[in-house]
Amino acid sequence: MWRDTGVSADDFYTVRAECEDVPKTRFKIKAGKTLSARRWHAAFSPEGYLDIGKTLTRIQRGGIHPLIRGEVWEFLLGCYDPMSTFDERDQLRQHRRQQYARWKEECRDMDSAVGSGRIITAPIITEDGVPIQDPIVLLEANTKNGEPKVNAPLDKKVIQWKLTLHQIGLDVVRTDRTLVFYEKQQNLSKLWDILAVYAWIDKDVGYCQGMSDLCSPMIVLLDDEADAFWCFERLMRRLRGNFRCTERSVGVENQLQSLASVTQVIDPKLHQHLEALGGGDYLFAFRMLMVLFRREFSFGDSLFLWEVIILWNDVGSGVRPDIFSMYEDPDHSNERNEGSKAKVKSSRQFGKFERENMRNKLKTPESPLPISVFLVASVLKHKSSKLLHEARGLDDVIKILNDMTGNLDAKKACSGAMKLHKKYLKKFSHLRWKKASCL
């Protein structure tokens, strides 16, 4: 039974005893507010259709109970259609697990470390595709008698993939290392395998630093590795644009520009001050947007924050629903497409943020702006006075923001983001009208 005062989520995401400086989770599991297993299961019809509208208010106000979080996230991230049946979802789940197994086997054929339980943390190949002769690398590459396996010349795509494997490993062993969950080698290996497979499948983006922070919660919440992969893949459909970098721009640059525009409208003095310090590009907020505040909040609080962001239906930019459709079984794809033609999304199934945009019907060049931009803006607004009076350089800005780590309240940050969103829409509309009247 839940106590009236609530149960800390830290009880479910245990921190290692020696990690004393880890921020405590403020999110509390409360009866009548948090989405419980009973309320969740009651939202399904006997056939398996989910009336997701019955759960949204609970999730927004009190989050999701950790015992059902993985199952609920599969729907929130779009792995399953709420209007599908139990049987349809079971069939799709098995199909996806088989597909993941095929991809993993394909990767294992290219490098035996995949699926072996080991993690590569040192380069195993040169940019020319030549195996590295370092003894430690040879050991990690699972060679025999100190001699590397002789293979035919490698394709450029294979070389590029192999070049990322050690970087994935270095990031994996540092990800959420304070959690007891990752004391087990098998859990670290799951995280490494999923990221290695994804890097091979999504060749346009591959692997970038920060992806391990996004994938880690899926491993914690879902026991089956394939199910965790598909949740991560669905999240990446929304966020992959953040990781697309060219010689001229970084993937998250559009959101940084939007953050600058929002701050300029809602807090002109702070924007001017940051520009004077050389921070007009807002690169100091890069990490917050890239990994969705995973490092600014405790593990439990960041999960609640993600749930609210997902409900507002705008996790990021660059959504590409077709990116993996080529791998789906045509029969499954056709069935889903045909079955969804007559389904119209009701307003109660839209996220709060999306409904707000619908009501305002404001089509700005940046619209719809990601709610993550307003979350960062709310953090800056909260620290506006301190930034204005104490920041004398970019190092000071970064220090002030870093000092907030573990001291932020996810619920207050979300509430502040929504208030700023309304304020921005109102001010932007007024500025646009004022500009039009001057023409």
Side-chain angles (χ1 to χ4, degrees), residues 79 96-97 99-100 103 226-234:
C79 292
R96 286 177 173 164
R97 287 178 177 179
Q99 179 63 77
Y100 176 71
W103 284 336
D227 295 343
F229 168 84
W230 284 107
C231 266
F232 172 64
E233 180 270 324
R234 288 286 165 162

Side-chain angles (χ1 to χ4, degrees), residues 2-22:
W2 299 340
R3 301 190 304 271
D4 291 338
T5 55
V7 178
S8 173
D10 287 339
D11 294 345
F12 294 87
Y13 312 117
T14 312
V15 174
R16 293 161 58 182
E18 64 270 24
C19 300
E20 298 178 353
D21 59 342
V22 177

Side-chain angles (χ1 to χ4, degrees), residues 91-105:
Q91 291 175 16
L92 185 56
R93 186 185 297 275
Q94 291 306 315
H95 167 71
R96 286 177 173 164
R97 287 178 177 179
Q98 292 168 8
Q99 179 63 77
Y100 176 71
R102 287 193 291 270
W103 284 336
K104 190 173 180 179
E105 185 63 33

